[in-house]
Amino acid sequence: MAQGIPGGAQGAPSPVGPGTSAPAGQGTSVPVGQGASVPVPGTQGGQGATPQAQDAAAQDAVRPAEQQAQVTEGAHTPVKTPLTLAQLVERARRSDARVEEAEAELHRLQALQRQAHWAWFPKFETVVGFGGPTPEAHNDGLGGPPTTEATLEGDWNFGTLGVTFRAEVNALLPIYTFGKLSALAKAGDQGPIIGAALRERARDEAGFQAAQAFYSYQLARSGLAQIESVGKQLDDAGKRINDMLQEQSEQVSKSDTYKVNFFRQVVAAQRSVAEQGRVLALAAIRLLAGAQADESLEIAAVDLPLEEDYTPPTLEKTLAVADQRRPELTAIQAGIAAREQEVLIRERSYYPDLGIIGFARYAYTTNATPQRTPFAYDPYNDRSVGIGLAARGTFDIPVKNAQLAQARAELDKLKAQQRLLQSAIHLEVTKVHSDLLSALARAKAYSDAEKNARRWATAAYAAFDLGTGDTRELMDSFQALAQASTEKSKGWFDVRVGIAALNRVTGTPPAGP
């Protein structure tokens, strides 16, 4: 199962999702190492561009048209576009180390497939030798008596010493194996299917974690933006309280200053947490994207709330899609098919292999007379070749019985694992589907709660500014707004993660936002 990538605000679940890109009209991106925003407790997701990006946009707006044209015409360095979710997922699915490992395993299984299809090819057992010295051996070439004294054995007279060269080749071409070769080829064909499924699982895992890191960054980004907004409101409230204290207003007291300072410190602590989440999310993004150490990444800004109304598919439809598309189910089904062919091979191993056998031998010795009659034995010089029909097999019946029982047991084991895997996938899909429904309901509820809290805070601040409200009401509204904004961001974060998780557990290819 996928592990969450650290990032985002504390307590926020890890994000998941197919490749998505920034919504139309959002060109803001946050360079690594700059003040990017990230959601945190007491924050609201979906904020606009950071102050740095707004300043840059303002400068571009007032730049003279001639200068704009010069910059456009004279620029040789390509403009670096922000990294969208779709691009990040694609990079992770292509360059993640787990995907490379699965790719190597697929190549190994493809090689085994080729090996299985070439199992019929004869093995040319070849022996080549060269050595010496050899004693002299001469006769009339017809198997007659020795013609030289040194050819006689039993003494130390070896005559003219020589060397010998020998070569021998044997091969068997199977022509009928009672189905063993066909079964081996069918079993080999399942290997690439298994390898491709495992590679797809690794790609899905990498893409899922890329989406987790991307949405963790968006959660932290929007949190930092909201923290800045809350901090500004607290600064305004504190300044107003100080002014009223100097005017000796009975509406405020010194304790109100302490309350404001307390909330300022809380916001400062939350800013630290959000910044840590942003840094961790960026580190995860760089790792999953396979970014080089000197490569700078800009992450596209995306609002966590969905722009359009989203209705998850029914649980029944989700389970049906998972049964059809999960790569693990494809892999284990191919494994069962391969095991069935192995059982068939073990069952046919009791029968011999029928084939065409051939051999060729050549021997030459420099100091021996070649014999010109086939009735004369000549170990020194030989030129012979032959071909015929042969049957090859072994009679180790007890060993074959044990191997067949083992193959059948492995097949039964794999079928049990298939049933267990399917049950586990159904349970996983049910949980992810339920979590998505719950997150969607929470996100919508907290979106409405945040709207009401914002109206409350606006009314409380206006009443306080007019002198008709007290600081307790103001601080309570600020606290309610912070909590609602936090839960809203986390809720939509969970929705984004849940959509991506649902795509992963159903084996659905990544899609755009």
Side-chain angles (χ1 to χ4, degrees):
M1 302 304 300
Q3 300 296 324
I5 296 296
Q10 284 186 346
S14 46
V16 182
T20 63
S21 58
Q26 286 192 353
T28 305
S29 62
V30 185
V32 173
Q34 296 184 5
S37 355
V38 184
V40 190
T43 66
Q44 175 188 11
Q47 294 299 316
T50 59
Q52 295 89 334
Q54 292 175 352
D55 292 342
Q59 293 173 6
D60 291 341
V62 300
R63 183 180 297 166
E66 296 82 6
Q67 186 177 357
Q68 289 275 15
Q70 292 175 2
V71 172
T72 303
E73 295 174 358
H76 297 285
T77 303
V79 178
K80 193 172 185 62
T81 58
L83 185 66
T84 65
L85 176 59
Q87 294 169 342
L88 174 60
V89 169
E90 177 60 27
R91 287 183 62 167
R93 287 172 61 88
R94 183 178 63 251
S95 61
D96 188 83
R98 291 164 296 181
V99 177
E100 293 180 357
E101 179 185 5
E103 189 80 30
E105 177 65 12
L106 173 59
H107 293 164
R108 186 185 73 86
L109 293 173
Q110 289 172 339
L112 288 177
Q113 179 193 30
R114 293 193 296 271
Q115 178 181 340
H117 280 270
W118 282 95
W120 62 270
F121 195 79
K123 297 179 180 178
F124 292 89
E125 299 177 359
T126 304
V127 178
V128 177
F130 178 82
T134 59
E136 183 180 294
H138 291 297
N139 67 356
D140 58 3
L142 299 174
T147 56
T148 63
E149 182 179 356
T151 305
L152 296 174
E153 295 184 353
D155 56 24
W156 294 99
N157 184 6
F158 298 113
T160 303
L161 297 178
V163 293
T164 184
F165 172 81
R166 296 177 179 275
E168 182 175 357
V169 179
N170 295 287
L172 175 65
L173 174 65
I175 56 176
Y176 189 73
T177 62
F178 295 90
K180 291 193 286 289
L181 282 178
S182 298
L184 181 60
K186 291 178 181 178
D189 290 338
Q190 305 307 313
I193 298 176
I194 296 173
L198 296 179
R199 180 184 62 181
E200 188 61 26
R201 183 184 67 175
R203 286 176 174 176
D204 290 346
E205 190 73 13
F208 171 75
Q209 292 186 350
Q212 285 181 314
F214 183 84
Y215 286 126
S216 291
Y217 177 85
Q218 302 303 329
L219 183 62
R221 178 192 64 82
S222 63
L224 283 173
Q226 183 61 23
I227 284 175
E228 295 299 327
S229 176
V230 172
K232 184 178 182 302
Q233 290 176 333
L234 288 173
D235 290 341
D236 293 342
K239 181 179 179 181
R240 178 58 178 161
I241 290 173
N242 290 332
D243 292 342
M244 296 176 70
L245 286 176
Q246 291 178 1
E247 296 171 0
Q248 297 182 349
S249 172
E250 296 181 356
Q251 184 184 355
V252 295
S253 64
K254 191 64 176 177
S255 62
D256 295 327
T257 304
Y258 302 149
K259 293 178 183 178
V260 173
N261 290 337
F262 166 76
F263 281 108
R264 282 175 175 169
Q265 296 305 315
V266 171
V267 168
Q270 292 176 346
R271 182 183 293 108
S272 175
V273 173
E275 183 60 31
Q276 181 189 22
R278 187 186 71 87
V279 171
L280 289 176
L282 279 174
I285 287 173
R286 295 184 65 86
L287 175 64
L288 290 163
Q292 301 297 325
D294 57 347
E295 180 182 359
S296 65
L297 290 181
E298 295 184 5
I299 312 303
V302 175
D303 287 340
L304 289 173
L306 297 174
E307 293 183 344
E308 300 178 356
D309 191 25
Y310 171 74
T311 302
T314 62
L315 179 60
E316 292 74 15
K317 182 178 180 180
T318 303
L319 291 173
V321 172
D323 287 339
Q324 295 176 357
R325 295 182 177 178
R326 277 296 286 264
E328 296 92 332
L329 293 176
T330 302
I332 201 168
Q333 183 59 45
I336 289 175
R339 287 293 184 186
E340 290 174 343
Q341 297 303 317
E342 181 186 3
V343 170
L344 178 60
I345 293 173
R346 295 302 181 187
E347 290 173 345
R348 303 294 173 84
S349 65
Y350 296 95
Y351 304 103
D353 297 336
L354 304 180
I356 300 175
I357 190 171
F359 71 92
R361 288 191 294 268
Y362 176 80
Y364 173 72
T365 304
T366 59
N367 60 346
T369 303
Q371 302 301 303
R372 293 174 292 168
T373 172
F375 301 103
Y377 173 66
D378 188 359
Y380 301 102
N381 299 281
D382 185 18
R383 291 181 297 276
S384 59
V385 63
I387 188 173
L389 296 177
R392 180 178 61 183
T394 59
F395 294 94
D396 51 343
I397 305 300
V399 175
K400 295 182 186 297
N401 290 339
Q403 291 174 340
L404 177 58
Q406 179 181 349
R408 287 172 174 170
E410 291 289 345
L411 176 59
D412 293 339
K413 176 183 175 182
L414 201 56
K415 288 181 177 179
Q417 290 177 346
Q418 182 188 36
R419 294 192 297 271
L420 180 62
L421 176 62
Q422 191 165 27
S423 299
I425 287 176
H426 282 193
L427 180 61
E428 181 185 25
V429 171
T430 301
K431 181 181 183 304
V432 170
H433 187 269
S434 176
D435 290 344
L436 176 57
L437 292 178
S438 175
L440 190 59
R442 284 188 288 107
K444 291 180 177 179
Y446 278 114
S447 294
D448 293 337
E450 194 235 10
K451 292 178 182 177
N452 291 322
R454 190 173 298 279
R455 296 189 186 104
W456 179 18
T458 301
Y461 189 83
F464 177 78
D465 194 39
L466 293 174
T468 59
D470 57 15
T471 55
R472 179 175 180 179
E473 180 74 9
L474 182 63
M475 292 299 105
D476 287 346
S477 66
F478 278 0
Q479 187 174 6
L481 177 59
Q483 181 180 0
S485 298
T486 298
E487 295 300 331
K488 172 191 171 183
S489 295
K490 291 175 62 178
W492 285 113
F493 173 84
D494 291 343
V495 170
R496 293 280 195 173
V497 170
I499 294 174
L502 195 63
N503 289 334
R504 183 184 64 84
V505 299
T506 56
T508 304

